[in-house]
Amino acid sequence: MRAWILSALLFGVAVGCTEPLPGDVRNGSGDAASPSDAALDARVVPDGGEDPMDAALDAATDSGGGETPVTALDVAAGYDHTCVVTTSEAVVCWGANDHGQLGRAGGMRGPGVVAGLSATRVCAGDGFSCALATDQTMTCWGDNAAGQLGRGTVGGGLNPEPVTIGLTGVRSIACGTRHACAWTGDAIHCWGSNSHGQLGIGNDAEDGWPRVATSTTASSLRLAAGLRHTCASESHRTTTQTRCWGDNASMQILPSAATSYDEPQLVNDDFVVMGLGRRHSCFSDERTGVQCFGGDPPQTSPPSGLSAAVEVMGASLDATCAQASSEVICWGTNADWQLGASTSGATQEIVSLGSAATVLSGGASHFCAIAADRRVWCWGANASGQARPFMMADSVLPAPLGM
């Protein structure tokens, strides 16, 4: 038990003590930020508590120190925070914590273990987080203003303690900005904000209880949730179908006059991978590669190198990243370096992780990835330390997290 707690704490040393390359970080004025000053600003010590950096350094000494990469099974980029499932099945979160979305009370933004939780998957939205536990239940914590924690209530902005919601046999989860969904094998359940029908339950009323959006006989299923829309790619024995519901004001679901759909709509029989943002949706299939709908041209113009199907994709509010060969290709808006480029006007960029990405996740304006060697990489907006803990630069370029 102690070993993985110390491993999670060591995470903070990795980025706090790593010297960035020139141009690797940006502060509010557009100048390079001092990593030492930023690290000191981030070291918030609770009254009577121990400096987390000192604890991490002690742990490094106990373990003999050395270069230790941060490795994970899953990563989720929330609005302005990030959570991972470590290879020891612990959940570790960092970044903004104004709603308890890190799984603890207080203002400390650095990495910390969510106590008492063993998980295989994690997802994150605006001020809240959820995890798929090893016993196939689902646990959520953080903001509940729209009922997105699935506790049967709507309201309550600070809920740092994880609570298990009333679903069993959960196999897949997804968090939108203020709603969440889960697949239990025979049905897709959704709850939380429903202003545009993103719960798929036939109305637009917020609901704090998990409600059935649709039943399914799929043998496997992928869920994705954007700002106000949701999609599910269902694989059956010989067929695949993708259904979506929610906001359609930018035609991010279907090219129709309908501004929203409060029940699932069949979109395509071939899409298998999805990335959903603010007003855009991107999909991949084996015949035509990556296609995007809705939004503005930068978000809906995938590079020509993505003509073949991709297996891994993620979206932030206004950008998308996808795995192509051994590289990650990102496109869309780059105001916060979320494409992995230091030029704010860039619309496409190649991010090299050294190996293929197995997971890609986008927050509001930052991305995180897990490479084939299970190392975690993050880049983009970092004002809350969501991409590079203990380095409070406004934006950062891609880098592996480790010590």
Side-chain angles (χ1 to χ4, degrees), residues 23 55 91 98-99 106 137 153 158 230 250 276 330 335 380:
V91 176
D98 49 329
H99 296 286
T137 60
T153 61
L158 182 62
T230 311
S250 298
L276 309 186
C330 300

Side-chain angles (χ1 to χ4, degrees), residues 341-361:
S342 59
T343 303
S344 60
T347 58
Q348 297 180 7
E349 185 68 15
I350 294 176
V351 178
S352 179
L353 308 182
S355 62
T358 60
V359 180
L360 281 166
S361 180

Side-chain angles (χ1 to χ4, degrees), residues 18 22 33-34 53 61 78 81 114 159 175 188 197 200 206 215 232 259 298 370 398:
T18 299
S34 165
M53 291 289 283
T61 301
H81 74 290
V114 180
N159 302 275
C175 292
I188 298 171
E206 291 179 344
S215 59
T259 57
I370 297 178

